[in-house]
Amino acid sequence: MTDLLPLDEPFDRVSVLLPLPLDVAYDYKADPALELARGDVVEVPLGQRRMVGVVLGPGGGDAVAPERLRAVFRRLDVPRLPRTVIDLVEWTAAWTLAPRGNVVRMAISTPSAFEPPAPVVVHTAGPQEDWTGQARLTPARRRVLSVLSDGPALEQKDLAREAGVGPSVIKGMIDCGMVAPHTVAQPAPFETPDATRDGPTLSGEQQTAAETLRAKVDAHAFSVTAVDGITGSGKTEVYFEAIAAALTAGRQALVLLPEIALSAEWLERFADRFGVEPAVWHSDLKPKVRRETWRAVAEGSVRVLVGARSALFLPFAELGLIVIDEEHESAYKQEDGVAYHARDMAVVRARLEGIPIALVSATLSLETVENVRQGRYGAVHLTARPGSATLPEVALIDLRKHAPERGTFLSPPLVEAVQRTLDEGEQAMLFLNRRGYAPLTLCRTCGHRLECPNCTAWLVEHRLLGRLVCHHCGLSARLPKQCPSCEAEDSFVASGPGVERLAEEVLVRFPDARFQLASSDTLTGPDKAAEFVRSVRAREVDIIIGTQVVAKGHNFPWLTLVGVVDADLGLAGGDLRASERTYQLLHQVSGRAGRAERPGRVLLQTHAPETPVMQALAAGDRESFLQSEIDQRKAAGMPPYGRLAGIVISAPDADRADAAARMVARAAPRLNGVTILGPAPAPITMLRGRHRRRLLVKAGRQVNVQQVLRDWLAPIKLETSVRLQVDVDPYSFM
Ligand code: ADP
Ligand code: ZN
């Protein structure tokens, strides 16, 4: 596709992709004076509406006759989107089978950024000769002049506030020349990180790793490097060196983190190293910050940005490095809308940009491990914690031998270990990846279980809220007085533990200990999370009771014991990555213990100590765990040794869901090397009131699954109430 369109015709046509759930782009007439090119953001008419879209290139691809074309209204005043971003949009759409319009929406998610920032008007005192003798000097006006005489120029609302006058007073003073307005440019909201500041003195292996990454940055060519290092080995310090190299080379750097909301600590470390905080990007940004950030990335005044997965589609024009921290995290996979994996698409962006990317983790994903083994990716290894810090010792508690007392969840050995830790004046963490009080509420009289009316899921009791909550659709209800099934009164009992229930047990067993609940229900935003981290570091907390929100990242020097209450929890359900995820999560949690000079201990309560996951965790033997996973996946032809795609068909009622699923299955191709499983009811058979059926496509690595799916699904016409979602390389099997 050519960059600039021919200018020799009075009107030309351009192809414009709009942020709508459509794959097609529409043609528009374009005034050659606009000099439109691929990546320009334009406003166009659509029906009665005005819409912002992106120019893909010359038109002519659709059948609309030239005389019926409508014209582009205008080109918006933002830098042209980099070619790599448009290429990434097209690549992502082709890979995920999402309509291109849905993908481009992620790249132009901040329409307010497309208007130039409003200029700022500040005020000073007007020259006295302009108004003396012509305007009255009231007490209010005197106050305004006094504020201006010994302070900086102010915006109108600030001036009015400081002088204690209404806006009309200021307006009157402007009219008579007592106050002079001046238009100034918005101050740049982003400071440049300083790459010349010194980091810590790196250990030998850290230095080797940093050198390798720095050389890749300097080479300014596509490469993928796995940064494989145990928790606390200094992976962050090492990739900071790569960021410094990118800054020195005059390029931008992008760091993706899985849960940006909880990374106050990361931002602080970055500020320690580079003197200023980086720009951040996530879904909770205030609109003003969002707008400024988007524009500053495009204009190049943001040099380093740390963000959640959607930051991948930002219009960096001078990108020199991408870092994916915690690359194994399934949070990088988006499940709703465009089902893309941000790590995989980040590798694509790095390739399109011709730049290095680093994939960082203490528990690399099997996909990345396999790519390293095959020589497609490079790797650097960090095997030691700096200074005298050591890895924690991990031991299993066999719950079959050491059962907790009835109605409690902590086994005697774990209780004893917590007590000893408290006696030493150190901190303990009890990890249970279950929010709320109890995962299940049942009627003591008839056994009826309280289920969500919209989803195939139990209602979870949140006692702190006094509600039953569905974790799938958010439905929230009071605990009914009567059982809906047998009408017995006050007959409900909680079954199983959540973190709130564990807190009750802690309160009884360790009455003098100060404990803190940490889950997405209590750490509801960055401020709460930062306060939590601070209070733990300040040793205002003795026992942390936490879900996965505390599993990663934080350094708590006094935390020396981690007790995992239900190590088997993630293994149920049996999806493809259940063992791998359990290993990663528990390994990560274990890494919280003993990060400073105090050695740490980890106790895992399990009913299945003999499984490879538990054995590997106890022995600290990642290699043999990986090998057993690899053997199983190879034997089953599962990713990364085969390809998978999920198809979920949903409808407001079961009959329509079944009919549509059967129709899709009947149209399935019969191809060598492709197996189609289903349709079957999805494990969550009903979700938000929709009935769901699943098909699974399993194919050899050499099969172009996307092409198979396109050929299969394109001719199928579904009723409008039926939805069909494709998920290439699914991570969720619900
Ligand atoms: P990881 O990212 O591998 O978990 P971090 O980079 O967070 O490890 O390092 C763990 C802790 O050790 C941090 O507090 C970090 O500042 C410190 N650290 C790492 N490398 C060094 C070093 N060479 N000198 C001093 N402190 C270091
Ligand atoms: Zn629900």
Side-chain angles (χ1 to χ4, degrees):
M1 213 164 285
T2 56
D3 235 340
L4 279 170
L5 301 173
L7 302 177
D8 47 3
E9 290 174 35
F11 270 101
D12 211 293
R13 54 201 284 172
V14 289
S15 170
V16 177
L17 186 58
L18 297 171
L20 297 169
L22 296 169
D23 198 55
V24 294
Y26 291 133
D27 273 13
Y28 286 90
K29 272 191 288 200
D31 183 340
L34 291 175
E35 297 192 14
L36 291 182
R38 183 169 168 88
D40 273 324
V41 184
V42 291
E43 192 179 39
V44 297
L46 185 77
Q48 299 302 308
R49 283 191 290 169
R50 287 170 166 263
M51 250 199 150
V52 169
V54 177
V55 174
L56 290 185
D62 68 18
V64 179
E67 60 278 11
R68 293 191 44 226
L69 283 184
R70 302 177 72 185
V72 169
F73 286 133
R74 60 184 181 125
R75 181 165 94 189
L76 297 177
D77 182 19
V78 277
R80 184 170 288 160
L81 295 186
R83 156 177 288 262
T84 45
V85 170
I86 310 298
D87 291 347
L88 181 68
V89 165
E90 298 204 308
W91 223 98
T92 304
W95 182 262
T96 60
L97 268 75
R100 287 187 299 174
N102 279 353
V103 186
V104 84
R105 196 199 328 242
M106 302 195 289
I108 53 171
S109 62
T110 312
S112 58
F114 305 146
E115 303 299 336
V120 179
V121 181
V122 295
H123 301 82
T124 57
Q128 208 155 10
E129 58 275 17
D130 285 6
W131 54 269
T132 315
Q134 297 169 41
R136 225 155 38 82
L137 201 55
T138 61
R141 288 180 168 185
R142 229 184 268 281
R143 285 206 301 281
V144 172
L145 291 181
S146 140
V147 166
L148 289 178
S149 71
D150 45 42
L154 290 174
E155 287 187 57
Q156 181 162 339
K157 60 178 187 309
D158 298 329
L159 179 55
R161 194 184 52 237
E162 287 199 22
V165 303
S168 61
V169 172
I170 311 245
K171 198 167 170 303
M173 292 175 80
I174 293 173
D175 289 344
C176 70
M178 273 183 186
V179 166
H182 311 268
T183 302
V184 294
Q186 286 264 17
F190 299 96
E191 292 174 273
T192 304
D194 180 358
T196 63
R197 289 163 61 106
D198 285 331
T201 309
L202 298 183
S203 69
E205 64 172 12
Q206 287 176 338
Q207 207 153 1
T208 309
E211 271 313 320
T212 305
L213 291 182
R214 247 194 311 249
K216 306 263 184 198
V217 171
D218 291 340
H220 199 49
F222 172 60
S223 64
V224 188
T225 309
V227 179
D228 174 21
I230 63 170
T231 49
S233 58
K235 296 184 291 298
T236 313
E237 301 296 345
V238 165
Y239 74 67
F240 277 179
E241 294 304 307
I243 293 174
L247 288 169
T248 306
R251 304 203 180 94
Q252 294 167 296
L254 165 64
V255 181
L256 294 190
L257 292 178
E259 264 135 41
I260 185 70
L262 290 172
S263 65
E265 188 177 350
W266 193 97
L267 297 179
E268 221 170 88
R269 278 183 71 181
F270 185 92
D272 281 349
R273 175 67 175 79
F274 294 103
V276 300
E277 289 211 345
V280 296
W281 187 260
H282 53 80
S283 54
D284 295 333
L285 283 188
K286 296 204 171 69
K288 176 167 182 285
V289 179
R290 201 176 176 76
R291 181 175 73 230
E292 288 170 353
T293 307
W294 196 94
R295 227 183 148 82
V297 168
E299 288 170 348
S301 60
V302 160
R303 304 315 293 172
V304 180
L305 181 134
V306 54
R309 61 186 177 219
S310 59
L312 187 60
F313 290 89
L314 284 171
F316 295 94
E318 301 171 312
L319 202 54
L321 171 70
I322 303 176
V323 175
I324 313 292
D325 204 347
E326 312 287 7
E327 69 89 31
H328 64 278
E329 267 291 329
S330 49
Y332 284 124
K333 178 67 191 284
Q334 176 157 303
E335 300 291 349
D336 299 329
V338 180
Y340 73 103
H341 198 301
R343 176 199 60 216
D344 298 347
M345 292 305 114
V347 172
V348 171
R349 179 148 190 190
R351 189 153 46 74
L352 294 169
E353 300 273 356
I355 60 169
I357 177 168
L359 306 180
V360 182
S361 176
T363 52
L364 291 173
S365 63
L366 205 59
E367 283 76 6
T368 297
V369 168
E370 178 63 14
N371 278 317
V372 172
R373 287 190 176 192
Q374 298 297 327
R376 286 187 286 264
Y377 294 179
V380 295
H381 304 275
L382 297 170
T383 58
R385 289 182 165 187
S388 54
T390 52
L391 270 181
E393 182 195 311
V394 181
L396 304 178
I397 298 176
D398 186 342
L399 288 173
R400 295 167 306 194
K401 291 193 196 126
H402 304 280
E405 291 162 41
R406 230 185 117 72
T408 71
F409 304 95
L410 303 178
S411 63
L414 182 53
V415 171
E416 195 185 310
V418 171
Q419 190 57 58
R420 219 170 326 126
T421 306
L422 297 176
D423 293 345
E424 297 284 326
E426 296 173 349
Q427 295 169 322
M429 180 193 294
L430 294 173
F431 177 79
L432 176 62
N433 203 14
R434 249 182 186 154
R435 296 161 51 204
Y437 185 82
L440 175 63
T441 302
L442 48 82
C443 172
R444 206 186 298 122
T445 313
C446 73
H448 180 77
R449 298 160 170 216
L450 289 177
E451 198 179 358
C452 175
N454 309 322
C455 307
T456 311
W458 310 128
L459 290 174
V460 178
E461 182 181 0
H462 285 245
R463 202 161 274 191
L464 295 176
L465 292 172
R467 311 287 292 180
L468 296 163
V469 177
C470 172
H471 285 179
H472 292 288
C473 72
L475 175 122
S476 146
R478 291 207 163 281
L479 183 69
K481 182 126 185 82
Q482 272 192 346
C483 173
S485 173
C486 72
E487 301 187 353
E489 293 212 348
D490 298 321
S491 175
F492 287 112
V493 286
S495 173
V499 281
E500 292 177 10
R501 193 166 187 189
L502 203 56
E504 280 186 0
E505 185 173 346
V506 164
L507 199 58
V508 173
R509 289 192 189 278
F510 312 104
D512 300 328
R514 298 161 299 174
F515 71 86
Q516 170 80 54
L517 270 182
S519 72
S520 56
D521 300 302
T522 63
L523 307 185
T524 45
D527 295 346
K528 292 248 172 74
E531 171 53 23
F532 163 74
V533 171
R534 190 206 57 77
S535 68
V536 176
R537 292 226 198 123
R539 301 173 75 188
E540 294 162 13
V541 174
D542 303 310
I543 302 179
I544 302 163
I545 303 171
T547 62
Q548 61 178 355
V549 301
V550 295
K552 45 193 161 274
H554 309 297
N555 289 313
F556 297 134
W558 289 91
L559 180 68
T560 56
L561 175 70
V562 169
V564 175
V565 176
D566 185 352
D568 311 327
L569 190 56
L571 294 172
D575 80 45
L576 171 65
R577 294 180 180 83
S579 295
E580 187 187 0
R581 270 207 282 257
T582 297
Y583 180 85
Q584 287 162 343
L585 181 62
L586 297 187
H587 183 86
Q588 207 86 39
V589 179
S590 304
R592 293 316 105 212
R595 285 207 127 192
E597 272 63 48
R598 278 162 293 279
R601 261 188 99 197
V602 179
L603 295 172
L604 307 178
Q605 296 194 143
T606 173
H607 284 99
E610 66 288 348
T611 52
V613 194
M614 296 305 151
Q615 288 297 321
L617 285 164
D621 186 358
R622 183 178 68 150
E623 285 311 310
S624 71
F625 171 69
L626 282 173
Q627 198 53 52
S628 85
E629 272 295 292
I630 286 172
D631 292 345
Q632 280 183 31
R633 298 239 195 128
K634 264 193 186 149
M638 285 293 184
Y641 307 99
R643 306 201 54 198
L644 278 185
I647 300 175
V648 172
I649 292 151
S650 70
D653 58 80
D655 289 346
R656 259 184 278 193
D658 282 328
R662 274 196 305 270
M663 179 170 81
V664 171
R666 267 200 305 276
R670 281 174 192 77
L671 296 169
N672 267 341
V674 180
T675 314
I676 290 157
L677 307 164
I684 298 184
T685 314
M686 193 166 64
L687 183 63
R688 296 183 196 97
R690 296 181 67 85
H691 296 255
R692 305 164 76 241
R693 305 291 179 264
R694 257 193 98 92
L695 293 112
L696 196 61
V697 182
K698 192 165 163 274
R701 253 190 84 89
Q702 76 292 348
V703 174
N704 181 342
V705 175
Q706 282 87 355
Q707 197 52 50
V708 171
L709 288 163
R710 266 190 288 268
D711 294 344
W712 172 11
L713 301 174
I716 291 179
K717 295 273 167 290
L718 296 168
E719 277 184 65
T720 48
S721 68
V722 176
R723 271 206 295 268
L724 184 150
Q725 282 166 297
V726 175
D727 188 352
V728 174
D729 200 7
Y731 275 63
S732 162
F733 294 81
M734 305 309 272

